[in-house]
Amino acid sequence: MTKKKGRIPTETLISIGTVVVIFVLWYVATANEWVNPKLIPSPQKVWDAFTTSMTDGYKGKTLIEHFGESMGRMFQAFGIALITAVPLGLASGFSSKIRAALDPIIEFYRPLPPLAYYTLLVLALGIGDESKIALLYLACFAPIYISCVSAVVKIRQDYINSAYTVGANKLQVFLYVIFPSCLPDMFVGLRTAIGVAYTTLVAAEMVAANSGIGWMVLDAKNWFRNDIIFVGIIVMGITGILIDAVLRLVEKKLVPWSGKA
């Protein structure tokens, strides 16, 4: 069944309706004081805090500056993880010896909560961006690496043999058979990694930082600024949705066959 052009999908309307209902309930609950206003501020108060933090800033920096520093840390770490984890993951998928050398390291630190070893990074690198980027790099590396290994391992051997049969060399087999076959799983790893990195970033900024969205939320808690806390939470949530949507869009463009029989 084809969708009519220019018509909003039903699923999109349902999602928009859910958000509208949540905001209406939030407004009604705070307007009628069904909840303690000291715990849950009204939408108007949160909006006022948002506009104020955008113009006057919070603790010396505007919301955009706090947001920019957080995103800068995250995307630096994600980029470094991308250019190291993908080749190592693909190589480990091909070579059991490489996989045997790397797996103990990955499997040792992967289940650990990032903040468990963050103290060591802070002692070694300080409370600046270096320790946060290192922490985020480790958080991103494991999901990307594991997805790449899994993608290579489950490629059907007859696909590779068929390519060799028609005269393809090893580079052509990799470029036109192996790498495209790995892309769907790789994007799953990338989306997982960026989600883990985002939550880890906020936690890291809450522990040792003097700027960023996570730090702003924590500092606002100390001063009972629940309106700022809500601003930070909403900004983080919307940003997470947008980042995932961008990755989905890129995946759809680069891997149009993903999810199709």
Side-chain angles (χ1 to χ4, degrees):
M1 184 177 178
T2 59
K3 296 181 180 179
K4 294 182 179 180
K5 292 184 178 180
R7 187 174 181 179
I8 301 176
T10 303
E11 293 80 2
T12 302
L13 293 175
I14 293 174
S15 297
I16 294 173
T18 300
V19 174
V20 171
V21 168
I22 291 173
F23 272 92
V24 168
L25 290 176
W26 179 16
Y27 173 79
V28 172
T30 53
N32 291 281
E33 296 186 353
W34 295 344
V35 293
N36 189 340
K38 294 182 179 180
L39 297 178
I40 302 180
S42 66
Q44 182 61 50
K45 189 174 181 180
V46 173
W47 174 255
D48 292 340
F50 172 76
T51 55
T52 301
S53 61
M54 287 287 286
T55 55
D56 300 337
Y58 180 81
K59 296 298 180 70
K61 292 186 179 181
T62 64
L63 179 61
I64 293 296
E65 291 174 321
H66 284 296
F67 178 78
E69 293 193 18
S70 293
M71 292 299 101
R73 293 161 183 157
M74 186 179 73
F75 283 115
Q76 285 185 65
F78 182 75
I80 299 171
L82 183 64
I83 61 178
T84 55
V86 169
L88 286 175
L90 294 177
S92 296
F94 279 110
S95 173
S96 59
K97 293 182 176 62
I98 297 177
R99 188 160 68 251
L102 294 178
D103 271 1
I105 302 173
I106 304 299
E107 294 303 323
F108 174 78
Y109 90 82
R110 183 174 64 88
L112 296 176
L115 294 182
Y117 50 85
Y118 184 45
T119 303
L120 296 175
L121 295 175
V122 171
L123 291 175
L125 302 173
I127 65 171
D129 286 352
E130 290 81 4
S131 60
K132 295 174 182 59
I133 292 172
L135 178 70
L136 296 173
Y137 169 76
L138 292 173
C140 287
F141 185 91
I144 299 174
Y145 170 85
I146 291 172
S147 67
C148 290
V149 172
S150 175
V152 174
V153 168
K154 73 180 187 181
I155 295 176
R156 292 176 56 176
Q157 189 63 38
D158 55 342
Y159 291 169
I160 299 175
N161 293 337
S162 298
Y164 282 129
T165 300
V166 297
N169 56 39
K170 289 185 177 181
L171 179 60
Q172 290 172 325
V173 169
F174 176 79
L175 292 177
Y176 299 109
V177 178
I178 295 172
F179 189 70
S181 299
C182 294
L183 282 175
D185 284 344
M186 286 171 58
F187 269 98
V188 173
L190 294 179
R191 291 174 58 196
T192 302
I194 202 73
V196 173
Y198 200 49
T199 55
T200 304
L201 168 69
V202 174
E205 290 179 344
M206 286 182 171
V207 173
N210 52 21
S211 64
I213 293 291
W215 173 84
M216 190 178 76
V217 170
L218 180 66
D219 188 77
K221 182 265 296 183
N222 295 332
W223 298 95
F224 301 101
R225 289 294 307 275
N226 287 356
D227 51 347
I228 294 292
I229 294 175
F230 268 68
V231 168
I233 291 173
I234 292 172
V235 168
M236 288 187 287
I238 293 175
T239 303
I241 293 173
L242 292 177
I243 292 173
D244 189 69
V246 169
L247 286 175
R248 285 175 180 267
L249 181 61
V250 174
E251 180 182 9
K252 186 176 180 180
K253 296 294 183 181
L254 296 181
V255 198
W257 63 87
S258 179
K260 298 179 181 179

